[in-house]
Amino acid sequence: MKNITKVVIGALSGLVLTVGMSVPASAHTGVQTWVIDKSKTASVVNRGQVIAQCSVGTSGSTCTISSGKTATRTINYTLGMARALVASSLGISSAETVSISTSCTSPVMSAGQVWKAYPVGDRWSYRIHKRTTTYSNQGVVQSTKNEYSGRLNAFNPYSAGIHCQL
Amino acid sequence: MSSHASRTTALGVFAVVAGFTLAGCSPGQPANGCSSDLASYVDQSLQVISDCIHEGSVLIIQDASPRVAELPSYIDSVGLRGNWRVVNACARDNVLDEETIIEVAVIPIDHEMSEADFVDAVVCDW
């Protein structure tokens, strides 16, 4: 009799605990990111990246910069969105560098003048939108959180694009 | 290690080194028989050094024609680089077989280095 009582009391206790406590159901989180507010400016000279420069050693001579050098493809990203995904959204390669094969010759230069070469390419401006959604175990949306980055930039050099100037 | 194994190992090492030497590969040298000594390209046509630099390198060409009483006329065309003589050269980090910046001063191939002083014909401003 005592044993049966113990069992019943134990079972009833378990039931109370089950009903009284808020046992959280298993939750799932989904994250989505988008590149939004995109705009492109073509044929931008990136003066922040000097490919090479030349100061004449002979006054009255010219200087030619012949580039087989690589230029850097800049793609800024944040909010956990991968660089490759940002690149794909912009429709450009995600490779870090671009080989540039071209040359430019200066006009006749004097001592002290410097001939500089810069990459030319497309400049992109955009923002990243991140949505985090939490679902219950039954797939019901429990919460949604939206985050937005500030303005971000990307620079995509042309393979035959070089701008030279004094 | 037994003496037989030692001899075998030594012969194997010798064979590898000999093979590399015959193939023209030596540590610190660019491939294709090009010299790593920048001075060896002076008084040679521009085509020679052009064929030996890394494909990703920037080549800066100073037309030093005024030093031999000619107007500057250099126009960059890979097929015409043989028409120019290198009179001085420098390279960032002094390497040729890696992507780098190389600067040369040139005069028309029908002029000689003895016609002028070219010591300061390159600036190497990097």
Side-chain angles (χ1 to χ4, degrees), chain B residues 58-112:
Chain B
V58 174
L59 181 61
I60 297 173
I61 302 145
Q62 298 237 21
D63 186 344
S65 293
R67 297 194 184 213
V68 293
E70 297 273 12
L71 292 174
S73 61
Y74 183 83
I75 295 175
D76 194 41
S77 174
V78 174
L80 298 179
R81 288 180 175 176
N83 294 338
W84 296 86
R85 184 186 305 279
V86 173
V87 294
N88 204 340
C90 54
R92 189 176 62 182
D93 303 324
N94 278 317
V95 294
L96 287 181
D97 58 343
E98 298 172 11
E99 187 177 304
T100 185
I101 301 176
I102 297 159
E103 182 174 326
V104 297
V106 298
I107 56 176
I109 196 73
D110 55 354
H111 283 269
E112 305 292 335

Side-chain angles (χ1 to χ4, degrees), chain A residues 25-49:
Chain A
S26 298
H28 305 283
T29 300
V31 176
Q32 297 169 288
T33 52
W34 300 269
V35 174
I36 61 172
D37 299 340
K38 295 181 281 187
S39 65
K40 181 181 80 172
T41 305
S43 301
V44 172
V45 176
N46 187 355
R47 289 187 171 81
Q49 188 182 155

Side-chain angles (χ1 to χ4, degrees), chain B residues 6 21 23 36 43 45 47 50 56 61 83 85 90 97 104-105 107 110 116 118 120:
Chain B
S6 299
T21 303
S36 59
D43 207 14
S45 90
Q47 191 66 55
S50 176
I61 302 145
N83 294 338
R85 184 186 305 279
C90 54
D97 58 343
V104 297
I107 56 176
D110 55 354
F118 300 103
D120 59 347

